[in-house]
């Protein structure tokens, strides 16, 4: 056939909303107020909670109509840090009132600049704004006062980057492809990556997840999808999906041939890096031996076509690999753990270790 299907992995990411972080203090804000029922033509002082904020009041900067019709980008609508160093109502906007007086109807109207910096700030929640006719906040001694409640309930949106791998395929033209060179991982008829056919009978086709520099030449190493072992060197007695066993002795302890999972999933460099880093620091030889004893027969069965039960098993194995990767990465980054992946690991990693220890003890 002049065309063949080539599978490859594409690493992608997305930004996921993960919740809110509580805000502990009020941010800078302009608050328009109107107070009535006060003693007419009397001087008053402003307190926010127990702090005298008279210097942050302006009674001539804007009317309620002006304040309601501010442009969307007007700094009085959302000042941010623009006036954060001011010690009173911003000078650029008219500065503070020299004194706060009620009018002949006993009314005070104006704008309060709620400052928030290292010198003056207020906790979030329900706060009280009070106008009183004496310079101390003592209502028992006052003749005229009025209060209002200002509530701040806010949060900062939190987003996390989620990484995932997508397997894609493309049609590749093959015009008299050369015979593929023997794979360095082993020898024999298709065993350990040798120069035979793949499970679909296509001569010289790279496994899913591998990359090809020219037709038929596999240049990427394979990575175990559960425990992340580097399989660029083979070990005798462990085979591929079709049950063929490689026969080359490996020269690197802890490196075991298991092309099956990488062929099956086509996972890319991101998951490979996570598996390898974690297994190097946390997995033992017993984990590897136990894993291969348990999972390799399951992988062989899962990727023989023609039985719908095999597809169910395949999806289960893929689910384990994906969720375990997510949990490992979350643990390494100190983030919220993947619940499903964590459950898989609690059961499977000790099980693999115990089985591996038993096999190693039995084999001396």
């Amino acid at each position: 056939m002049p065309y063949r299907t080539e599978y490859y992995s594409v690493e992608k990411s997305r930004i996921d909303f993960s919740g809110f972080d509580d805000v502990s203090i009020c941010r800078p804000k302009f608050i328009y107020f109107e107070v009535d029922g006060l003693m007419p033509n009397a001087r008053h002082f402003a307190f926010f909670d127990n702090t005298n904020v008279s210097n942050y009041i302006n009674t001539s900067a804007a009317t309620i109509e002006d304040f309601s019709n501010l442009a969307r980008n007007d700094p009085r609508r959302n000042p941010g840090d623009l006036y954060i160093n001011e010690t009173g109502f911003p000078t650029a906007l008219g500065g503070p009132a020299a004194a706060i007086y009620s009018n002949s109807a006993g009314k005070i109207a104006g704008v309060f600049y709620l400052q928030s910096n290292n010198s003056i700030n207020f906790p979030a929640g329900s706060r009280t704004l009070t106008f009183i006719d004496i310079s101390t906040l003592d209502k028992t001694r006052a003749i005229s006062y009025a209060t209002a409640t200002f509530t701040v309930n806010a949060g900062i949106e939190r987003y996390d980057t989620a990484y995932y791998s997508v397997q894609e395929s493309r049609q590749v033209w093959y015009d008299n492809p050369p015979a593929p060179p023997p794979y360095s991982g082993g020898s024999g008829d298709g065993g350990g990556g040798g120069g035979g056919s793949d499970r679909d009978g296509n001569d010289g086709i790279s496994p899913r997840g591998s990359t090809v520099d020219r037709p038929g030449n596999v240049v990427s190493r394979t990575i175990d999808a559960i425990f992340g072992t580097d399989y660029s060197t083979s070990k005798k007695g462990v085979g591929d999906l079709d049950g063929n066993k490689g026969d080359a002795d490996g020269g690197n302890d802890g490196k075991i041939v298991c092309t099956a999972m990488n062929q099956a999933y086509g996972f890319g460099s991101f998951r490979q890096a996570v598996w390898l880093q974690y297994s190097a620091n946390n997995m033992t030889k017993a984990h590897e031996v136990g894993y291969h004893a348990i999972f390799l027969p399951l992988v062989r069965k899962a990727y023989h076509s023609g039985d719908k039960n095999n597809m169910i098993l395949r999806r289960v194995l893929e689910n384990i690999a994906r969720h375990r990767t997510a949990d490992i990465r979350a643990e390494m980054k100190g983030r919220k753990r993947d619940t499903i992946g964590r459950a898989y690991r609690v059961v499977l990693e000790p099980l693999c270790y115990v089985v591996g220890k038993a096999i190693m003890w039995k084999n001396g």
Side-chain angles (χ1 to χ4, degrees), residues 60-124:
S60 59
T63 65
I64 185 62
E65 289 78 15
D66 295 334
F67 204 74
S68 300
N69 295 312
L70 293 174
R72 187 178 183 87
N73 60 349
D74 192 298
R76 287 171 292 178
R77 192 177 281 279
N78 185 15
D81 292 341
L82 184 61
Y83 306 113
I84 200 169
N85 294 320
E86 296 282 349
T87 56
F89 195 91
T91 304
L93 300 178
I100 305 171
Y101 278 89
S102 58
N103 63 15
S104 59
K107 180 177 179 180
I108 301 174
V111 179
F112 165 44
Y113 175 55
L114 176 59
Q115 181 62 286
S116 182
N117 55 29
N118 292 333
S119 300
I120 180 172
N121 56 74
F122 302 91

Side-chain angles (χ1 to χ4, degrees), residues 158-177:
R158 183 176 65 253
Y159 293 87
D160 294 330
T161 303
Y163 297 91
Y164 60 100
S165 178
V166 177
Q167 188 179 80
E168 298 183 358
S169 64
R170 60 191 170 206
Q171 295 294 311
V172 179
W173 175 265
Y174 255 45
D175 186 13
N176 297 322

Side-chain angles (χ1 to χ4, degrees), residues 239-251:
D240 62 11
L241 282 174
D242 300 309
N244 302 311
K245 292 189 176 181
D247 58 4
D249 290 333

Side-chain angles (χ1 to χ4, degrees), residues 146-339:
T147 63
T149 300
F150 180 73
T151 301
V152 176
N153 290 316
I156 298 175
E157 293 181 343
R158 183 176 65 253
Y159 293 87
D160 294 330
T161 303
Y163 297 91
Y164 60 100
S165 178
V166 177
Q167 188 179 80
E168 298 183 358
S169 64
R170 60 191 170 206
Q171 295 294 311
V172 179
W173 175 265
Y174 255 45
D175 186 13
N176 297 322
Y183 182 53
S184 62
S187 62
D189 295 332
S197 300
D198 73 352
R199 64 178 183 273
D200 298 317
N202 299 316
D203 199 31
I205 297 177
S206 64
R208 298 183 187 181
S210 299
T211 55
V212 179
D213 63 343
R214 57 186 175 82
N217 187 16
V218 181
V219 296
S220 69
R221 63 186 180 184
T222 55
I223 305 295
D224 187 294
I226 300 292
F227 282 106
T229 309
D230 183 341
Y231 301 122
S232 54
T233 305
S234 67
K235 275 270 189 185
K236 182 182 294 185
V238 181
D240 62 11
L241 282 174
D242 300 309
N244 302 311
K245 292 189 176 181
D247 58 4
D249 290 333
N252 191 346
D253 292 339
K255 310 297 187 181
I256 303 176
V257 172
C258 182
T259 62
M261 301 297 276
N262 197 58
Q263 289 178 8
Y265 304 137
F267 289 158
S269 59
F270 166 72
R271 280 189 174 83
Q272 294 175 2
V274 173
W275 296 328
L276 286 175
Q277 181 179 353
Y278 186 81
S279 63
N281 296 331
N282 300 278
M283 295 291 102
T284 67
K285 180 68 175 179
H287 284 98
E288 292 180 356
V289 173
Y291 159 66
H292 287 95
I294 296 171
F295 282 95
L296 193 57
L298 297 177
V299 173
R300 289 172 181 160
K301 179 175 177 58
Y303 288 89
H304 283 296
S305 60
D307 185 345
K308 66 178 182 179
N309 293 327
N310 293 352
M311 287 300 300
I312 295 174
L313 177 58
R314 172 176 175 172
R315 293 186 184 279
V316 170
L317 294 176
E318 291 176 353
N319 186 267
I320 292 173
R322 293 182 188 279
H323 280 287
R324 183 176 183 275
T325 302
D327 185 59
I328 287 175
R329 186 172 186 275
E331 179 183 349
M332 294 167 66
K333 295 291 185 179
R335 296 177 178 173
K336 183 178 180 181
R337 303 282 294 276
D338 183 282
T339 303

Side-chain angles (χ1 to χ4, degrees), residues 51-65:
T51 302
N52 190 326
V53 293
S54 300
N55 202 42
Y56 290 89
I57 301 292
N58 182 293
T59 55
S60 59
T63 65
I64 185 62
E65 289 78 15

